Amino acid sequence: MKITIARHAGFCFGVRRAIDITFKVRQSNPGKRIYTLGQIIHNPQVIDALTKRGIGIVHDIDDPALNPGDIAIVRAHGISPDKKAALTARGVEVIDAACPMVLKLHAVIKRASKSADLIAIIGDRDHPEMDAHMGVAQDKGVIIESVADARNIGRVNRLAVVAQTTFDVALYQEIIDVLREKADILDVSDTICRSTVDRQNE
């Protein structure tokens, strides 16, 4: 059997950065209880390595395992501002290891919220990254997963369009084509990560 490994296989920049931050936080805080907010990556070997170093996982910010003085690490997918504030208010130290591309997308959403009537966030409704994006967009955000979803939104004057950083490039373009009919002014941002594009092409 011949196995061909893709040139872009392996951890992307954002995930590698989040893993590195997590290990460094452990080294710098030997006596503290540390948790990641969700799995830092869906990789059993990495999760096992973190577990052996005493790094736990919580899947909800209200998890009773989190106590004042503990450290919570935000994974590459990011976190909504409200959830981050809630953790800080409880005395939990939040270390943000969100991917820079995700944070860049949050900045785009914040700018768009000042002028757009609606912000269409294209992506998988159940993906944790989308929860963070909607938290930034608040009541101006609407999730669109498909062309059918795009057809169903109402018409507005100014519509901003962004995509989950790991969304399908071809489908994003199809959805944009539908949304052109939904607004007088359409502001489209290219927010899909370059690593995602390279891997999909490959």
Side-chain angles (χ1 to χ4, degrees), residues 120-135:
I121 304 175
I122 317 302
D124 178 358
R125 186 180 306 276
D126 296 324
H127 195 284
E129 186 183 315
M130 294 294 281
D131 180 66
H133 300 329
M134 285 297 290

Side-chain angles (χ1 to χ4, degrees), residues 60-82:
D60 192 304
I61 64 166
D62 296 320
D63 193 307
L66 281 171
N67 293 295
D70 291 347
I71 294 175
I73 300 175
V74 176
R75 57 186 172 169
H77 299 313
I79 190 173
S80 71
D82 289 348

